[in-house]
Amino acid sequence: MSQTSPRSASSARPRFHAQFQSFEETADGSTGPARLAALRAELARRGIDGYVIPRADAHQNEYVPPGEERLAWLTGFTGSAGLLMILPEEAALFVDGRYTLQAATQVDEAAFTIVPLAKTTPEKWLEAHLPKGASLGFDPWRTTLDGREKLARAVAAASGVLVAVEGDPVAELWLDRPPAPVAPVRLLDAVLAGASVAAKLEQVRTALAKDKLDGALISDPHATAWLFNIRGGDVAHTPLPLAWSLVPQEGRPQLFIAAEKLSNAVRDVLAEVADVRPEQDLEAALSAFAPGRTLRLDQATAPVRLAEVVERAQGTVAKGADPISLLKARKNAAEIAGMRAAHLRDAVALTRFLHWFDGAAPSGTLTEIDAVEALETFRRDSGLLTDVSFPTISGAGPNGAIVHYRVTRTSNRQIAPGELFLLDSGAQYPDGTTDVTRTVSVGTPTDDMRTHFTLVLKGHIALARAVFPEGTTGAQLDPFARQFLWAAGLDFEHGTGHGVGAGLSVHEGPARISKLGHVPLEAGMILSNEPGYYRAGAYGIRIENLVLVTPQLVAGGEKPCLSFDTLTFAPIDRRLIATDLLTAPERQWLDAYHARVAAEVAPLLDAAARAWLEAATAPLV
């Protein structure tokens, strides 16, 4: 495809955004209210007054297989986080600030009440609404240990009864539910992994010994994929094989995975380092291992059902953090090199897109879907794109104010002159994962647009320039990005940054930069820097780069310090910058960043795109 042809970009059929349909557009014709009535009847048949439906599978994955989209099937809400409380006369859908506007467009509010988490928690709502003596059911496979504890306290406060429900009542009604995925597993190249399975097992066992544990049940498939250097395709946007593993302090680990996912060659390699068993053996294996032993279960992902198996077998559940989570977050040299290569490749695709968009958008003929398809096509031109890392957020004008807006054929909007266009996207390549947001002006921006954009930019720069002592948490850094918005009486209702995996999930724990980020940042972690501002009904602004935590030598300093190295290379729209609001150090940072973008990316472009990039990254006047 030519770098400068808008038609070749938008007309190529994309692989990963093929339908742009909402869940309700692809459903069987029955409505949310009808399904809710049927579920209440099924619960009544079982003698249960209420029921909790989290947006989760048995692993608490962010992206789940189609057959696990219970919340979407029942309500129409397709966000990646949410929880539904169903009582005999009420049904409350709890969503965070990212999804408040989206939920209102997808859910029938005559049947479901949308409750923002900023207003109240599900547990507080339950205390006030659960009738005295009523029973509340929960799914022990899709409820975590922490989740059960919160529910138990709320139900007790309401003088109700909490009941673990065997047999999924939603599955009883979802007659055309898609089957479980069985995508083939592939081995991760040793050059990309940077460490052998044996070396990683030694790290895990060291962590187990430190906590005096006999073993760990690994319920997060990302952790299992990292440990065994495998990748798969069981969920969208993350190269993930759904699997469980059991890692003892001594002896061989056990990997539980559907046999259909493994070729003979892959199975043979895995069998050298682990006992490979079918998923159906998991409960029996836990029962055999547990007696007299203390086993770590991840409080954030392990299902209640498996904790009960351990306890019935006279084992001890040590609830806590998955020992792999922190190890996986600290990227090794090979993983960092892969991420740098992926980001440079992605920068070329994004710059080609921005060049094309800058010429095509002012005509007013492009739509949000055109932009998504074009960007994906530019990325596919690399020959290495394996998936997008999340559904692209392509928001024109007021749609940009919906933080996690997902364009559908129904909501698709033309990109009009005089508007802002927010594009939050990412890619999966064999060597790394990307996530980048740019907000661009279509035509001439208003003074308000430029002011708000510059306040967001100042926060982005403040965080990018931060130097901080080891032990600093994301919660301590979060105000760096908000301070200028706060001074203007503004804010944004999402975290400033999330962790990012190396060729795994675009959203990775345990560290994050937010009011709730209580894990210290460490060298080797990769996180996003993405402050924003959203004016409902008008426009959204977000500027996002990924950053690598690196050691920082401070002359005369007494404490070891860290700083951020920016991995993302893409121009920031200079037309939206009110330069009089920037300080000299802020201008210097932006000019230096743009100079680096030009130096890294320009040599990889054709003449027309190179000339555009040179203008887009010119120093501020």
Side-chain angles (χ1 to χ4, degrees), residues 328 331 339 428 432-434 499-508 526:
K328 176 164 57 67
K331 311 300 185 289
M339 289 289 276
Q428 292 284 6
T433 304
T434 71
V500 178
L504 276 171
S505 176
V506 74
H507 296 129
E508 177 182 82
I526 294 174

Side-chain angles (χ1 to χ4, degrees), residues 443-484:
T444 304
T446 66
D447 288 344
D448 275 357
M449 290 174 178
R450 295 176 73 244
T451 296
H452 292 145
F453 184 90
T454 307
L455 294 177
V456 172
L457 176 60
K458 286 170 71 70
H460 179 96
I461 294 172
L463 186 59
R465 297 177 63 228
V467 175
F468 47 95
E470 289 182 358
T472 300
T473 67
Q476 292 171 300
L477 291 171
D478 185 69
F480 283 51
R482 298 179 189 268
Q483 57 183 307
F484 304 103

Side-chain angles (χ1 to χ4, degrees), residues 75-89:
T75 69
F77 172 65
T78 59
S80 62
L83 183 140
L84 182 66
M85 290 275 191
I86 300 173
L87 298 180
E89 303 297 331

Side-chain angles (χ1 to χ4, degrees), residues 49-344:
D49 298 307
Y51 195 62
V52 182
I53 301 179
R55 198 279 182 184
D57 63 3
H59 302 277
Q60 302 296 313
N61 283 313
E62 176 181 11
Y63 298 113
V64 300
E68 294 291 335
E69 290 280 11
R70 289 167 174 75
L71 208 56
W73 178 83
L74 184 60
T75 69
F77 172 65
T78 59
S80 62
L83 183 140
L84 182 66
M85 290 275 191
I86 300 173
L87 298 180
E89 303 297 331
E90 300 176 272
L93 175 64
F94 295 86
V95 296
D96 61 41
R98 298 171 296 170
Y99 295 118
T100 305
L101 296 177
Q102 176 182 328
T105 68
Q106 294 182 316
V107 172
D108 186 337
E109 294 189 72
F112 304 96
T113 300
I114 299 170
V115 182
L117 286 170
K119 181 179 178 181
T120 188
T121 65
E123 293 76 30
K124 289 181 180 177
W125 184 92
L126 193 61
E127 288 181 27
H129 292 258
L130 183 68
K132 185 176 182 179
S135 58
L136 182 77
F138 72 95
D139 184 338
W141 273 108
R142 294 170 183 86
T143 303
T144 65
L145 303 178
D146 278 355
R148 179 180 61 179
E149 289 182 6
K150 292 178 181 178
L151 287 175
R153 286 194 296 268
V155 170
S159 300
V161 180
L162 186 63
V163 180
V165 177
E166 296 296 332
D168 180 7
V170 175
E172 294 289 328
L173 305 173
W174 192 355
L175 300 181
D176 60 347
R177 180 185 173 201
V182 286
V185 169
R186 60 182 173 84
L187 301 173
L188 185 64
D189 192 302
V191 173
L192 298 176
S196 66
V197 176
K200 291 181 177 182
L201 280 169
E202 189 59 34
Q203 292 181 64
V204 176
R205 288 179 172 131
T206 298
L208 294 176
K210 181 179 178 181
D211 289 343
K212 299 180 180 179
L213 298 169
D214 297 306
L217 168 68
I218 308 303
S219 48
D220 180 358
H222 303 82
T224 291
W226 176 87
L227 177 61
F228 291 103
N229 288 336
I230 55 176
R231 298 294 187 266
D234 286 337
V235 301
H237 313 309
T238 305
L240 196 62
L242 296 182
W244 311 80
S245 52
L246 180 59
V247 181
Q249 175 61 48
E250 298 180 359
R252 282 167 62 85
Q254 299 181 60
L255 172 63
F256 302 89
I257 188 167
E260 304 95 306
K261 300 178 186 180
L262 304 178
S263 67
N264 289 338
V266 169
R267 177 181 287 276
D268 288 346
V269 171
L270 292 174
E272 294 176 3
V273 292
D275 295 335
V276 182
R277 304 178 62 174
E279 285 180 297
Q280 300 92 310
D281 287 359
L282 176 59
E283 291 191 47
L286 272 179
S287 293
F289 180 81
R293 291 191 171 103
T294 300
L295 192 64
R296 167 57 48 83
L297 267 67
D298 181 13
Q299 59 194 21
T301 64
V304 167
R305 170 69 179 181
L306 296 181
E308 293 173 341
V309 169
V310 171
E311 290 167 347
R312 282 199 299 266
Q314 304 304 309
T316 299
V317 171
K319 187 181 73 168
D322 181 335
I324 291 176
S325 180
L326 192 57
L327 298 173
K328 176 164 57 67
R330 300 188 203 111
K331 311 300 185 289
N332 61 41
E335 291 169 325
I336 291 171
M339 289 289 276
R340 290 190 186 279
H343 276 79
L344 181 56

Side-chain angles (χ1 to χ4, degrees), residues 328-413:
K328 176 164 57 67
R330 300 188 203 111
K331 311 300 185 289
N332 61 41
E335 291 169 325
I336 291 171
M339 289 289 276
R340 290 190 186 279
H343 276 79
L344 181 56
R345 185 182 311 119
D346 204 54
V348 172
L350 182 56
T351 301
R352 293 174 64 201
F353 166 84
L354 290 171
H355 169 221
W356 166 80
F357 183 86
D358 205 39
S363 68
T365 60
L366 292 183
T367 68
E368 294 166 333
I369 287 180
D370 288 336
V372 174
E373 291 180 335
L375 178 54
E376 185 182 312
T377 303
F378 281 119
R379 281 177 164 139
R380 273 193 291 153
D381 278 355
S382 71
L384 291 173
L385 180 70
T386 60
D387 201 342
V388 293
S389 56
F390 56 94
T392 298
I393 298 168
S394 173
N399 286 344
I402 303 173
V403 178
H404 275 204
Y405 170 68
R406 176 183 171 185
V407 59
T408 69
R409 296 291 180 194
T410 300
S411 70
N412 188 29
R413 192 175 185 280

